[in-house]
Amino acid sequence: MYVPQRGRRRASLPMALVVGVAAILGVTLVTVPANAAPQAEFLGRVPHANWYGAYIPVAGGAQIYADVLVPRERSGKVPVVLAVGPYFQHLRASRQRLAERVPAQRYDDLVKGARLLERGYAVVFADLRGFANSSGCPDNSGPADRSDIRRIVRWAASQSWSSGKVGLYGKSYDGVTGLMAAGERIPGLAAVVAQEPVYDWYRYLYGNGVPRTTRVGTPLSLVYTSMNPPPSNVDVSSRQFQDYLTRSAANVINPGCVPAALVATQSAGVNDPYWVSRRVLGRLRGSTVPLFLSQGFIDQNTPADGLVDLLRNVSGPVTGWLGMWDHVRGNDTDRSAMMGHATDRSSTGRTDYLDQVAAFYGHYLKGEGPRPTGFYVQDNTGSWRVQNQWPLRSSVRRVALTTGAYRFNGQQVATKVPFRNRWASTQIDGAAASFGVLQRTFDDAANGVWTLLPPEAAAIRISGAPRITLRTRLAGGHNPGTTPVAVDLYDVAPSGQAILISQNVSMLGPKTTSFRLFATDWVVAPGHRLAIRVTDSNRGRWDYYAVPPNAVTVNVVGGEALLPLAPVVSGTRTTGTSNTSLEGHLRWYRYPVPRR
C-alpha cells in the first residue's frame, strides 16, 4: 500500500473561515516562470508502482500538479495513460489521525480493472489549473487550458521513464480534455478515450440559444470544485493545504478570475468571444488521433448533440460504444452509478468495457494486437450489434411538417404520465429517467403543432441526428431572438401511447430556423407511427424563467424533418442486454399524443 503523508498541525477552523481570513489578509498567488524545471517528489509505494507528486510549470506562472504512478516492475520505458480534469482529490479523511495524502482515486476502476500498472503503463492524474493542487485561475476549457494540456502531454511524453506515447482517458469534463487534446496535434499523443463528453460548451448550457436549467448550477459547481475544502483534519502546514488556501483566496478576490468567469458563462450569445474560444468540435477537424468514444443516446447530462459532428470532423480511426444509457462510465454498474436498485447489474448492458479499453491502448500505445475497429451499438430494443461505422445511412426520409400555431407560455414538457388524477412531467435536467422523478405540469398537448405519420408497414431504424427546418411567422412583431421553439420526436404505439425518441430546442430565427435533434439509434416497430411536435418549450430540461414567456403566437407556415434511416438489420448481432437507464426511459419518458 501507499505510504501516507502525515503532518503535525491539524486544521481547527472551518475551511470557509480560513479562506475568508486569507482574503482579508490579501493573500496573493505566488507564480513561477513557465520555463522553470518541473518539480517531482517521491511520495511512497502503491501496489505495483512508485508514486510521485510532480509540479509542472505552465504559461502565466501557474503550476499543474500531477500524481504520477510509475510501474516498479518494468523493462525499459513505458507508455503513459493520462487523465486531466478538475475532479481529482489528493487527501483522504481519517478518523484516527490527520488526513492522509493519497493518489487520486477517481479512476481506480480503470487502474485496477484494466490492470494498467501490471501491464506496464505509467499513470498520471493531472489537475486542471485552478483545481485541487494546481495553481492559477480556472479557465473552463479555454485557451489557457488548451495550452496547459499541450504542456502536460509533452511533459508526460518526455520523462526518462516514458516511451514517448501518451493516451488520454476521461469521462464528462475529463472526456472534454481528451477531445481538446485530440484537436491540438500534440507530439506524443497517440490515443484518446472519451466517455460522455461535452461537445460544445455553449450548447451544453444554452441549447441553440435556449438556457438549460443548469446554466447557473454548472458554473457554480465548478467554482465549488475549485474551492472544495480539504478534509477538516488536514495538516495546515502541508504544501497541499497552503497551495489550496493561497489559490482559492486569490481566485475569489481577483475580479478577473472567478467573478469574471461566472459573469461570462451567463452570456447567451453564441458568438460571444468567451464561447468562441471554447469551441471543441471545430478544432477536431482533420484530427488523426485515434479515438475510443462512448456516448449514451439518452444521457440527460451530456447529450449526444455533437456526436454526428465529431464523427464527420475527425480523420483518424474512431471506435467505441454507443447506446441507450445515461451519464455513466462504460464499466459502471448500477451500484457504482447509484442507479436503479444499486445492484451489480451493468449500467450499459455489457461487462467488457475495460477489456476493450485495454486492447485499444495496447494497440496504439504499445503496438500490440490488431487495430480495434467498429462500434458496439445498442438500440432501444436493448439488443447490441457491431458495425464498422456509425451511422450506417441507407436513406433519408423527408417529412413535410404540418402548419399551425402555438403560443409561447413556457409550460410545455416533452414527457408526462398520469399521477394521482393529474399529469406529472418526468424529465428533469441532469436526472436519469430511471430515477422516476415526478413534478406537476401544466402542459397542454393542444399547444403545439403535431405531425402524425401513418403507421409503418415494416420496421424502420432511425440512426443519426434528425434535422429540423422550420419556417415561422411571429404575431405582434416580437423579436424572434427572444422566442424559443422545441421539437420532440415520438414513437407512437397503436394504443396511442408515445415514447420520446429525441428532442432539441432553439431560439427562432427571423424567418427560418434549422437545427438537429440529439443523435439516436431507434427501431420503430411495424404498426407504430412517428409523431413530431413543434411547440414552445421543453420545461424541465431547459429554463424558461431565464426566457420570460411573452405569450406571442408562433405561426408555423412550413418546414420539414429529415430522418436518417439505416438498415433495420445492421452490423452483426453480439452479446449484451438492456439496462436500467433504457428501461426507465421506456417507462417514464412517455407522452399522450392526440389521436388525429
Side-chain angles (χ1 to χ4, degrees):
M1 292 298 292
Y2 63 86
V3 178
Q5 307 295 307
R6 302 187 183 95
R8 294 166 296 179
R9 298 171 57 200
R10 176 171 176 158
S12 58
L13 294 175
M15 292 298 142
L17 177 59
V18 175
V19 173
V21 170
I24 292 172
L25 294 176
V27 174
T28 56
L29 187 65
V30 177
T31 61
V32 295
N35 59 356
Q39 306 169 43
E41 175 188 5
F42 176 72
L43 298 177
R45 293 162 62 92
V46 300
H48 310 291
N50 293 330
W51 167 36
Y52 301 87
Y55 285 89
I56 308 167
V58 292
Q63 286 190 314
I64 298 299
Y65 175 79
D67 278 329
V68 182
L69 306 178
V70 181
R72 277 194 302 275
E73 300 177 4
R74 58 186 173 88
S75 56
K77 299 185 176 185
V78 294
V80 183
V81 173
L82 165 67
V84 183
Y87 301 125
F88 303 121
Q89 299 294 329
H90 311 282
L91 292 167
R92 181 173 64 185
S94 174
R95 293 182 180 179
Q96 288 77 32
R97 52 184 180 264
L98 293 178
E100 299 172 344
R101 186 174 177 183
V102 296
Q105 298 173 314
R106 175 167 166 81
Y107 291 120
D108 273 4
D109 55 346
L110 167 72
V111 175
K112 296 174 182 178
R115 302 176 63 249
L116 293 182
L117 297 170
E118 298 96 305
R119 284 175 163 155
Y121 295 93
V123 178
V124 177
F125 300 122
D127 300 321
L128 282 170
R129 66 166 57 210
F131 292 94
N133 288 355
S134 291
S135 62
C137 177
D139 192 45
N140 302 331
S141 300
D145 276 351
R146 288 202 303 272
S147 174
D148 293 351
I149 291 169
R150 290 195 297 268
R151 173 77 171 116
I152 297 165
V153 172
R154 292 300 301 136
W155 178 88
S158 63
Q159 296 306 293
S160 60
W161 39 261
S162 172
S163 70
K165 289 193 174 184
V166 179
L168 264 77
Y169 184 89
K171 178 213 171 192
S172 196
Y173 201 131
D174 311 336
V176 181
T177 58
L179 296 184
M180 290 170 65
E184 293 300 304
R185 281 66 169 176
I186 310 170
L189 180 61
V192 170
V193 176
Q195 306 171 80
E196 314 300 318
V198 172
Y199 298 99
D200 183 290
W201 278 108
Y202 175 79
R203 288 201 307 234
Y204 178 67
L205 295 181
Y206 297 90
N208 298 313
V210 181
R212 278 183 68 177
T213 63
T214 54
R215 84 189 194 289
V216 175
T218 295
L220 285 176
S221 72
L222 291 174
V223 172
Y224 174 80
T225 302
S226 173
M227 299 179 61
N228 192 14
S232 60
N233 62 341
V234 68
D235 170 20
V236 297
S237 66
S238 67
R239 176 171 181 173
Q240 289 70 44
F241 180 77
Q242 295 298 322
D243 287 348
Y244 153 76
L245 180 64
T246 303
R247 184 203 70 234
S248 297
N251 288 350
V252 170
I253 64 178
N254 178 3
C257 187
V258 168
L262 287 175
V263 171
T265 57
Q266 299 313 296
S267 169
V270 64
N271 293 317
D272 186 295
Y274 182 85
W275 298 119
V276 171
S277 67
R278 285 161 175 76
R279 290 175 180 169
V280 177
L281 289 170
R283 302 182 74 89
L284 281 167
R285 190 168 290 112
S287 171
T288 59
V289 177
L291 297 179
F292 188 110
L293 184 69
S294 65
Q295 175 66 61
F297 294 127
I298 55 176
D299 190 330
Q300 297 299 301
N301 184 344
T302 54
D305 60 350
L307 173 61
V308 170
D309 295 321
L310 180 146
L311 295 175
R312 289 176 177 173
N313 282 0
V314 298
S315 300
V318 185
T319 186
W321 287 21
L322 309 174
M324 296 291 170
W325 52 79
D326 203 86
H327 197 65
V328 299
R329 302 181 188 190
N331 59 292
D332 261 334
T333 65
D334 286 356
R335 190 185 310 279
S336 62
M338 295 182 290
M339 191 170 291
H341 296 290
T343 67
D344 290 329
R345 183 187 189 191
S346 168
S347 294
T348 58
R350 287 181 62 98
T351 59
D352 59 340
Y353 181 80
L354 291 180
D355 293 335
Q356 293 193 25
V357 169
F360 177 78
Y361 282 145
H363 179 79
Y364 288 110
L365 301 186
K366 288 186 169 185
E368 298 174 348
R371 190 184 82 165
T373 59
F375 290 91
Y376 283 69
V377 185
Q378 179 196 49
D379 60 33
N380 60 301
T381 69
S383 64
W384 287 75
R385 67 188 190 276
V386 181
Q387 57 190 56
N388 290 333
Q389 64 183 38
W390 188 92
L392 289 174
R393 181 170 298 178
S394 60
S395 63
V396 175
R397 178 182 290 185
R398 190 181 301 269
V399 178
L401 298 179
T402 303
T403 60
Y406 64 86
R407 185 168 58 91
F408 175 32
N409 63 16
Q411 296 297 325
Q412 313 326 304
V413 297
T415 64
K416 65 181 184 181
V417 297
F419 180 71
R420 295 181 179 175
N421 300 318
R422 295 179 177 177
W423 289 105
S425 64
T426 57
Q427 187 176 38
I428 309 297
D429 198 10
S434 60
F435 290 165
V437 179
L438 303 177
Q439 62 181 13
R440 188 176 180 182
T441 180
F442 297 96
D443 170 89
D444 179 5
N447 190 19
V449 180
W450 288 91
T451 301
L452 189 59
L453 276 63
E456 300 293 335
I460 62 169
R461 181 186 297 278
I462 300 173
S463 187
R467 175 171 286 280
I468 303 296
T469 300
L470 296 169
R471 297 190 301 278
T472 56
R473 184 175 64 248
L474 304 186
H478 287 273
N479 180 3
T482 64
T483 304
V485 64
V487 177
D488 305 309
L489 175 64
Y490 297 98
D491 179 343
V492 187
S495 65
Q497 186 64 62
I499 298 173
L500 181 68
I501 298 175
S502 187
Q503 64 186 144
N504 209 346
V505 300
S506 178
M507 283 295 185
L508 287 171
K511 293 182 179 179
T512 302
T513 306
S514 183
F515 57 97
R516 285 198 186 101
L517 305 185
F518 299 155
T520 189
D521 200 283
W522 191 280
V523 175
V524 181
H528 285 222
R529 313 171 79 176
L530 290 174
I532 302 170
R533 185 192 191 192
V534 179
T535 187
D536 69 323
S537 55
N538 272 181
R539 194 177 186 84
R541 187 157 196 173
W542 285 274
D543 182 9
Y544 296 94
Y545 293 109
V547 187
N550 53 24
V552 66
T553 296
V554 178
N555 294 290
V556 179
V557 298
E560 65 178 11
L562 301 180
L563 306 179
L565 301 184
V568 174
V569 180
S570 296
T572 303
R573 287 289 298 269
T574 188
T575 57
T577 65
S578 180
N579 60 66
T580 300
S581 294
L582 173 57
E583 290 155 10
H585 184 99
L586 298 176
R587 178 182 178 185
W588 294 110
Y589 278 20
R590 295 172 173 264
Y591 194 90
V593 172
R595 292 178 176 272
R596 51 174 170 165

